[in-house]
Amino acid sequence: MQWSSPPAMEIDTGKSYRATIELEKNDGVVEVELFADKVPNIVNNFVFLARQGYYDNVTFHRVIEGFMAQTGDPTGTGRGDPGYKIDNEFHPDLRHDGPGVLSMANSGARGGKGTNGSQVFITYTATGYLDGLNPDGSAKDCSRESCHPVFGQVAKGMENINAVSPRDPGSAKVDG
């Protein structure tokens, strides 16, 4: 599935949103709280893609032990996207401050804009160097430093993410 532009705003930022990730291995389920009130454009994008079935039957194609598990690419290569990019959106309360943080995977800023699409990752540990804001709340230079918008937190089922076997796109096998 591909689209020529990002989705129009469809979510209600006054409502709570949760996503359920169903893993094939051991029938694992992961529930994620989404922060629509803090990063509405990123959450709207994720909700739109999920409602379109974009993430259905998509594997974790990149899993690095002690770092993160990445998914959201139907091709399984790490190069797939929905056909458009959305800009970064950061909130000072949302940080890569521990395990279970749901964040956008991207290829850095290009032309002053973020390159977020469909790929997301869940952290296994704190990875503050991936925050889009410095510790004092000032913006990082995302054209020179790694900046990934946080938009959710695992609320239930982190043990299922921990059970996904390490892999890279070149050797991915479907098991989670």
Side-chain angles (χ1 to χ4, degrees):
M1 289 184 241
Q2 295 270 292
W3 294 266
S4 59
S5 62
M9 182 61 69
E10 296 179 358
I11 64 167
D12 178 345
T13 59
K15 290 186 176 181
S16 296
Y17 290 85
R18 283 190 172 235
T20 301
I21 302 168
E22 296 176 3
L23 304 178
E24 184 177 280
K25 185 177 183 179
N26 299 327
D27 297 320
V29 173
V30 179
E31 291 183 18
V32 182
E33 177 185 2
L34 303 176
F35 304 125
D37 59 330
K38 294 182 172 135
V39 285
N41 295 310
I42 298 287
V43 171
N44 184 70
N45 179 67
F46 182 78
V47 169
F48 167 80
L49 292 171
R51 287 177 175 167
Q52 297 299 314
Y54 188 86
Y55 295 117
D56 292 357
N57 301 309
V58 174
T59 190
F60 282 89
H61 64 274
R62 183 173 178 229
V63 180
I64 301 172
E65 193 172 350
F67 177 38
M68 61 87 209
Q70 184 173 334
T71 187
D73 172 12
T75 73
T77 65
R79 288 179 243 145
D81 65 41
Y84 60 80
K85 303 289 183 204
I86 60 172
D87 203 3
N88 289 324
E89 185 175 31
F90 304 113
H91 190 281
D93 294 341
L94 303 180
R95 304 291 183 145
H96 295 89
D97 56 4
V101 172
L102 178 65
S103 187
M104 293 299 300
N106 61 48
S107 57
R110 303 281 187 270
K113 299 276 188 184
T115 57
N116 305 289
S118 60
Q119 294 191 43
V120 302
F121 63 90
I122 298 172
T123 61
Y124 289 128
T125 189
T127 54
Y129 58 92
L130 298 177
D131 290 344
L133 302 173
N134 291 309
D136 67 1
S138 63
K140 284 173 51 178
D141 180 354
C142 296
S143 66
R144 300 173 56 117
E145 299 179 80
S146 194
C147 299
H148 298 272
V150 171
F151 70 101
Q153 175 69 45
V154 172
K156 180 180 170 188
M158 188 64 195
E159 69 278 4
N160 295 318
I161 295 297
N162 290 333
V164 177
S165 59
R167 65 190 71 161
D168 65 48
S171 63
K173 59 181 178 157
V174 178
D175 76 341

